[in-house]
Amino acid sequence: MYLLGYDIGSSSIKVALIKADTQETVDLAHYPENDFDIIARQSGWAEQQPELWWQDLCIATRKIIEKNDINPADIKSIGIAYQMHGLVLIDKDHQVLRPAIIWCDSRAVSIGQKAFDDLGQEECLENYLNSPGNFTASKLKWVKDNEPDIYDKIYKILLPGDFIAMKFTDEVYTTISGLSEGIFWDFKKKEIAKKVLNYYELTETHLPEVVPTFSIQGKVTQKSAESTGLIPGIPVTYRAGDQPNNALSLNVLNPGEIAATSGTSGVVYGIVDRPIHDIKSRVNAFAHVNYEENYDRIGVLLCLNGAGIQYGWMKSQIALSGRHYDDMERMAKSVPIGSDGLCVLPFGNGAERMFDNRNIHSHILNLDFNRHTRAHIYRGALEGVAYSFAHGVYLLKEMGLDVDVMRVGNDNMFRSEVFSMTIATLLDCHIEVVDTTGAVGAALAAGVAIKQYDTLEDALSGVSPMMIHEPRLNQAQCNQAYSYWLAALDKTLYEIPSRGNRPEVLKAKNMGLKKEVDDKNKALAASKMQLMGKDDFLLEIKSSLSDLDKSFNEEEKTKKLNKLITKIENNLSGNKEWKAFENQFDLLHSDFFKKLKSDYPKLSIAEAKLCMLLKMKLSTKEIASQLNLSVRGVETRRYRLRKKRQLS
């Protein structure tokens, strides 16, 4: 009994044949031999023909069946992984209406940015975990605005994996994970993102029906069986985007685990147990493959568009004819760390999320015709991508993700020792290379829905590292070379013209900042006046209490006490002042109280105040003075707070 897994990439179709009972990989195949063409009718555009994906999948499937001489009736389940964020449009007859707009197409960047501003950045980040950016929803809006005749014919919009599943089964479905990668999912409400659809004036009926990621999602039809060499009736039981699926393939399912890949693009993908976002939108977060169980598995994804595609370009355009990647690796190893000053920025594959969706292009800097050779260019290219990974991982660390161990597959740039050890040394982590692929992971996942494996963990029990890259390069030299690269990157980012540094834009920003400063100064002045008013009020109370001592009539004393109580009640503002203070404090300390409440929702106001004073690095004695407590009282409160937060 066998399982079949596919990985629908932007370079080729990969297929894996797995023996179900032993989890053994029988064979791997891919087609075509050379990378798919990407149609770029304008700068920044990237399209592919979906029907060619299906055509090449059929060829790859027939090849693997014939090569291994297996009976198609022994294949019991099919799993599909696919390139994320693509847009495939079909009509009522399931015919494709236009070429697919794929993940690296940047035509919708401005549309997504306007939506981010109009919908509200906080709204987008808290509900969708991302800016609408250049994702599927924004691409669909571009079609609506620029190709209305095509938009009017749309029956359903599909992700690349949805399209391939439809070709197999003639059924049109998607998943929650798929909706989240297109910014069609609201993580707060746990439903379709209606606000995004309404803002873009899109129709919810264009979205396919949702099925679980692990489920029987249709069966191979007679027509698709004839095309692929399979038999009718085989169920399609799993689909997921390539990055969540790659993490699954590496057995990265739980919080604190990190997966990485460097194919056409480069990705670092970490798992967390609650929705989080980056306020600068440099990374993205999507529903992981196991999100649906408890809505508590989110994949935080850092994407580098310029990665393997750059090194592939080096091989095809600069390497001598007949040279392979192994030859390039040997030459790169002959060059010292830092490539003798030659510096390569690999960002030549569209807008980079990490740089505010700017397309800064690739650059080869400091090339010296008397000193540098092809070997220097190869090492500089490998180091450029490695430095990009390190730069991105530092962003993830800022968000609280630990990166002690990184798991990677064995079918991409991590096969290069120069590349892997550069990253391991810079991040001071171990890189576990696992002999698996996305297609293998998709095949194993397909076994879960048909109960071949009791759990996903059982399906992946055989995943273990075949090689470990340790930080063995000279740390000082690596850091020096990385700093040099970073300086070149900063200089390039500063010098490249962008809308953001036009004089009129900068003037508007400065005016906005000046107004914000004026508003804050007014708020501070108002707070100061309010505090002075409180002091005056306390003096008035003190005076009234002194006068009370001079009064001998008990009835008169009672009347005066009641008046004092009424006065105090009228001056109490409950939690309103504290709420205003929280907002001011959050501005200065990066949403301190928001994060605190998210992590520890049961904290009282008194405990939150104590946390704030600790954040300000006040001593116990100083805190005692602020809270009008004894030192012993503050120590007791600190002890209780540690217990509640489970701190040592």
Side-chain angles (χ1 to χ4, degrees):
M1 178 170 141
Y2 299 96
L3 303 168
L4 207 55
Y6 295 94
D7 187 357
I8 315 303
S10 51
S11 300
S12 66
I13 303 293
K14 301 178 182 70
V15 57
L17 183 66
I18 303 296
K19 200 166 185 182
D21 55 349
T22 63
Q23 299 163 304
E24 173 194 354
T25 302
V26 177
D27 198 10
L28 298 169
H30 76 277
Y31 194 84
E33 297 299 325
N34 300 314
D35 290 354
F36 284 141
D37 288 333
I38 292 179
I39 306 163
R41 290 181 288 163
Q42 292 189 33
S43 176
W45 289 23
E47 301 176 344
Q48 289 182 327
Q49 293 289 358
E51 291 291 355
L52 290 180
W53 302 336
W54 174 248
Q55 176 184 301
D56 290 338
L57 178 145
C58 294
I59 294 171
T61 306
R62 287 185 172 277
K63 279 176 65 177
I64 205 165
I65 290 172
E66 291 167 8
K67 179 183 173 185
N68 294 281
D69 193 26
I70 65 164
N71 183 349
D74 292 333
I75 297 173
K76 299 302 179 186
S77 189
I78 293 171
I80 300 167
Y82 59 87
Q83 50 172 301
M84 297 171 72
H85 318 305
L87 175 65
V88 181
L89 306 176
I90 59 167
D91 63 18
K92 289 184 178 180
D93 298 321
H94 294 187
Q95 297 301 305
V96 174
L97 292 170
R98 70 175 319 285
I101 302 176
I102 65 171
W103 60 274
C104 56
D105 185 291
S106 56
R107 75 185 72 185
V109 168
S110 59
I111 292 172
Q113 184 57 50
K114 186 174 187 303
F116 194 36
D117 295 335
D118 291 349
L119 286 167
Q121 297 189 8
E122 188 173 347
E123 162 83 16
C124 290
L125 295 176
E126 289 190 355
N127 289 273
Y128 321 124
L129 309 187
N130 304 284
S131 157
N134 193 36
F135 296 117
T136 314
S138 302
K139 290 169 179 168
L140 181 59
K141 173 63 173 170
W142 183 92
V143 173
K144 179 179 173 65
D145 291 347
N146 294 274
E147 299 175 345
D149 292 346
I150 289 174
Y151 184 84
D152 290 342
K153 296 175 186 174
I154 294 174
Y155 168 58
K156 295 291 180 186
I157 68 165
L158 306 176
L159 297 161
D162 301 334
F163 171 77
I164 294 298
M166 182 198 76
K167 294 296 289 185
F168 269 122
T169 66
D170 209 30
E171 303 281 357
V172 181
Y173 296 122
T174 193
T175 62
I176 289 178
S177 179
L179 290 174
S180 77
E181 74 184 63
I183 319 301
F184 291 119
W185 184 252
D186 189 321
F187 284 88
K188 239 182 182 178
K189 297 180 180 177
K190 300 179 176 62
E191 63 178 29
I192 287 170
K194 293 183 173 62
K195 277 193 177 180
V196 173
L197 294 174
N198 291 338
Y199 172 80
Y200 278 155
E201 299 178 321
L202 303 175
T203 307
E204 188 174 336
T205 55
H206 284 159
L207 298 176
E209 182 182 338
V210 175
V211 292
T213 298
F214 302 89
S215 64
I216 294 177
Q217 304 166 4
K219 296 183 178 180
V220 171
T221 63
Q222 180 65 44
K223 182 179 178 182
S224 63
E226 291 170 1
S227 300
T228 58
L230 300 173
I231 64 165
I234 301 172
V236 173
T237 59
Y238 166 81
R239 77 183 77 180
D242 50 9
Q243 298 312 323
N245 178 76
N246 180 64
L248 173 146
S249 308
L250 298 167
N251 202 8
V252 171
L253 301 170
N254 299 306
E257 297 174 343
I258 300 281
T261 184
S262 185
T264 303
S265 62
V267 169
V268 180
Y269 187 93
I271 310 301
V272 295
D273 59 1
R274 60 189 170 90
I276 65 172
H277 61 266
D278 173 32
I279 197 166
K280 295 182 180 177
S281 293
R282 295 164 298 181
V283 301
N284 307 114
F286 307 110
H288 195 34
V289 293
N290 51 352
Y291 167 81
E292 294 156 30
E293 293 175 16
N294 294 300
Y295 299 109
D296 64 352
R297 290 294 181 269
I298 308 294
V300 181
L301 183 153
L302 166 81
C303 183
L304 304 163
N305 284 348
I309 190 170
Q310 176 225 225
Y311 205 50
W313 184 90
M314 293 282 181
K315 178 178 178 291
S316 63
Q317 302 297 327
I318 294 179
L320 296 174
S321 177
R323 295 284 187 187
H324 298 287
Y325 287 121
D326 289 344
D327 302 316
M328 294 166 69
E329 176 78 2
R330 281 193 295 273
M331 293 173 70
K333 283 182 176 178
S334 69
V335 173
I337 294 169
S339 307
D340 282 335
L342 186 139
C343 192
V344 179
L345 303 181
F347 311 111
N349 192 28
E352 290 288 355
R353 189 78 167 175
M354 197 164 61
F355 305 128
D356 196 24
N357 279 320
R358 293 173 65 184
N359 189 348
I360 66 174
H361 305 289
S362 183
H363 300 261
I364 300 176
L365 304 169
N366 309 320
L367 181 63
D368 186 328
F369 297 135
N370 298 311
R371 193 156 55 99
H372 293 137
T373 64
R374 281 191 177 89
H376 288 86
I377 294 176
Y378 300 155
R379 180 155 194 138
L382 288 169
E383 288 179 333
V385 181
Y387 298 153
S388 305
F389 266 82
H391 187 56
V393 170
Y394 291 139
L395 300 183
L396 296 181
K397 286 188 172 185
E398 285 178 20
M399 298 176 67
L401 274 75
D402 293 323
V403 190
D404 295 324
V405 176
M406 185 183 291
R407 288 192 196 136
V408 303
N410 192 34
D411 62 345
N412 52 55
M413 284 185 75
F414 283 98
R415 296 176 70 174
S416 162
E417 196 172 274
V418 170
F419 176 73
S420 295
M421 284 212 290
T422 300
I423 295 175
T425 303
L426 282 172
L427 298 177
D428 193 24
C429 72
H430 289 71
I431 297 177
E432 295 182 355
V433 182
V434 180
D435 190 16
T436 189
T437 68
V440 170
L444 291 170
V448 176
I450 62 167
K451 306 301 181 186
Q452 172 64 31
Y453 311 112
D454 292 333
T455 65
L456 193 49
E457 286 74 14
D458 289 338
L460 301 167
S461 59
V463 174
S464 60
M466 56 172 286
M467 180 194 313
I468 297 177
H469 292 294
E470 297 179 327
R472 293 205 305 260
L473 298 181
N474 184 293
Q475 183 90 43
Q477 289 178 354
C478 277
N479 285 333
Q480 184 181 26
Y482 172 65
S483 297
Y484 188 67
W485 179 89
L486 202 57
L489 172 64
D490 289 343
K491 185 171 184 288
T492 303
L493 284 168
Y494 178 78
E495 289 180 348
I496 288 178
S498 72
R499 185 183 180 280
N501 54 29
R502 289 178 190 165
E504 67 273 17
V505 175
L506 290 174
K507 185 177 179 182
K509 280 183 181 177
N510 286 336
M511 291 294 290
L513 289 170
K514 185 177 182 300
K515 184 178 183 304
E516 192 174 338
V517 169
D518 289 343
D519 290 343
K520 296 303 171 197
N521 284 333
K522 287 176 186 175
L524 285 171
S527 296
K528 185 177 179 182
M529 291 296 292
Q530 196 174 35
L531 288 171
M532 289 171 66
K534 290 289 183 188
D535 286 345
D536 291 342
F537 174 68
L538 288 171
L539 287 170
E540 185 183 342
I541 295 293
K542 182 182 176 183
S543 174
S544 297
L545 288 171
S546 298
D547 291 342
L548 197 63
D549 286 341
K550 299 170 187 175
S551 177
F552 299 98
N553 186 314
E554 288 299 325
E555 188 179 342
E556 196 175 335
K557 277 186 178 182
T558 303
K559 282 182 181 178
K560 286 192 174 184
L561 281 171
N562 287 335
K563 279 185 180 179
L564 277 175
I565 290 168
T566 303
K567 238 181 214 184
I568 292 167
E569 285 176 345
N570 289 338
N571 274 271
L572 286 175
S573 52
N575 294 333
K576 288 181 183 176
E577 287 181 12
W578 173 249
K579 188 67 183 173
F581 179 80
E582 277 189 6
N583 293 335
Q584 294 290 329
F585 196 83
D586 276 344
L587 283 172
L588 294 171
H589 295 279
S590 303
D591 293 336
F592 174 77
F593 284 112
K594 287 181 183 176
K595 292 175 184 173
L596 194 66
K597 287 176 181 175
S598 175
D599 290 341
Y600 305 99
K602 294 183 179 179
L603 282 186
S604 67
I605 287 179
E607 288 167 330
K609 286 179 180 177
L610 180 56
C611 290
M612 176 267 294
L613 294 170
L614 292 168
K615 168 75 173 172
M616 293 168 69
K617 301 190 186 305
L618 269 61
S619 68
T620 300
K621 190 174 180 181
E622 289 168 327
I623 293 172
S625 173
Q626 289 286 331
L627 298 180
N628 290 319
L629 294 171
S630 66
V631 170
R632 178 68 176 167
V634 173
E635 287 173 348
T636 302
R637 287 197 183 187
R638 292 183 69 163
Y639 170 76
R640 288 173 181 162
L641 185 62
R642 283 197 297 273
K643 294 292 283 184
K644 183 173 273 193
R645 293 183 58 180
Q646 297 180 334
L647 300 173
S648 61

